[in-house]
Structures are given as C-alpha cells and as structure tokens.
C-alpha cells in the first residue's frame, strides 16, 4: 500500500463512522482535524482515532486503552488479528453508546 491509498482507506473509515453515528442518531460528536478524528460523548469522554502515516497504521485510543491497526486482508486489524470495527464497538459501549459497525 502506498501513502495515497493509506489516506484514502482512512478517510473511508472515518466516513463510515460518521455515517453510522448519523444513521443511528447517536449522541456523539465527530470532528476531523488533519490526521485526527475525535469522537466526543455526552460525558465529554473521547475516542481518538488517528493516522500514523509513517507506519501506515490507524491508531485508536479510548477508555479501553490504545490499539494499533494495519490494513491486512481488506480490513484494519491488530497484530493479534482483531478487527478495528470490533474494537470500536467495544469502545463505544465503554463510553456509553451501543452501536454495531459489523454485520
């Protein structure tokens, strides 16, 4: 994957998150500035998702901790093989919002 493809994949991921928040009517504010997507919940807690261009990784930080994802087999995965979407669902739940990003 080259840098342009990386940025395109991250932008698609952020778009999917924003669409799901809107579609579900969740009380979550999504703000994207540069390489960082900040999701702010009603209690002012946050999930931070940022691009790590040098490593071609997507990083997620929440009340559950920090996780790094590489794009492998057509999806963002941790080194252990866990899906970004699974982690994000768990993070949303920990922050008080139930949502399904996976089918």
């Amino acid at each position: 994957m080259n840098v342009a493809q990386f940025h395109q994949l991250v932008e698609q991921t952020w778009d999917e998150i924003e669409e799901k928040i809107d579609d579900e009517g969740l009380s979550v504010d999504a703000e994207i500035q540069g390489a960082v997507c900040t999701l702010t919940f009603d209690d002012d807690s946050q999930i931070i998702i940022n691009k790590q261009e040098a490593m071609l990784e997507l990083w997620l930080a929440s009340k559950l901790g920090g996780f790094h994802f590489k794009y492998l087999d057509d999806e963002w995965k941790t080194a252990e093989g866990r899906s970004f979407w699974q982690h994000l669902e768990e993070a949303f739940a920990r922050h008080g919002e139930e949502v399904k990003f996976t089918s």
Side-chain angles (χ1 to χ4, degrees), residues 17-28:
I17 293 167
E18 287 183 306
E19 286 175 20
K20 189 61 146 179
I21 289 169
D22 289 344
D23 290 349
E24 298 289 323
L26 301 176
S27 295
V28 179

Side-chain angles (χ1 to χ4, degrees), residues 57 68-70 72 77-82 87:
E57 290 184 349
H68 301 188
F69 302 87
K70 286 193 175 286
L72 305 166
K77 294 181 182 179
T78 63
E80 298 79 28
R82 290 200 71 219
H87 274 283

Side-chain angles (χ1 to χ4, degrees), residues 18-94:
E18 287 183 306
E19 286 175 20
K20 189 61 146 179
I21 289 169
D22 289 344
D23 290 349
E24 298 289 323
L26 301 176
S27 295
V28 179
D29 179 45
E31 181 180 351
I32 298 170
Q33 288 189 332
V36 180
C37 174
T38 304
L39 306 174
T40 305
F41 295 79
D42 281 344
D43 64 357
D44 290 328
S45 65
Q46 296 180 326
I47 294 174
I48 308 293
I49 305 165
N50 65 314
K51 301 177 189 180
Q52 293 296 319
E53 182 180 298
M55 293 169 274
L56 300 178
E57 290 184 349
L58 188 62
W59 290 6
L60 183 152
S62 73
K63 288 181 178 180
L64 297 175
F67 302 92
H68 301 188
F69 302 87
K70 286 193 175 286
Y71 201 76
L72 305 166
D73 303 321
D74 296 325
E75 72 175 303
W76 295 105
K77 294 181 182 179
T78 63
E80 298 79 28
R82 290 200 71 219
S83 162
F84 168 80
W85 298 111
Q86 183 179 5
H87 274 283
L88 190 59
E89 287 176 3
E90 292 170 7
F92 264 71
R94 183 70 182 268

Side-chain angles (χ1 to χ4, degrees), residues 88-102:
L88 190 59
E89 287 176 3
E90 292 170 7
F92 264 71
R94 183 70 182 268
H95 287 263
E97 289 282 354
E98 295 293 326
V99 65
K100 280 282 191 203
F101 288 98
T102 56

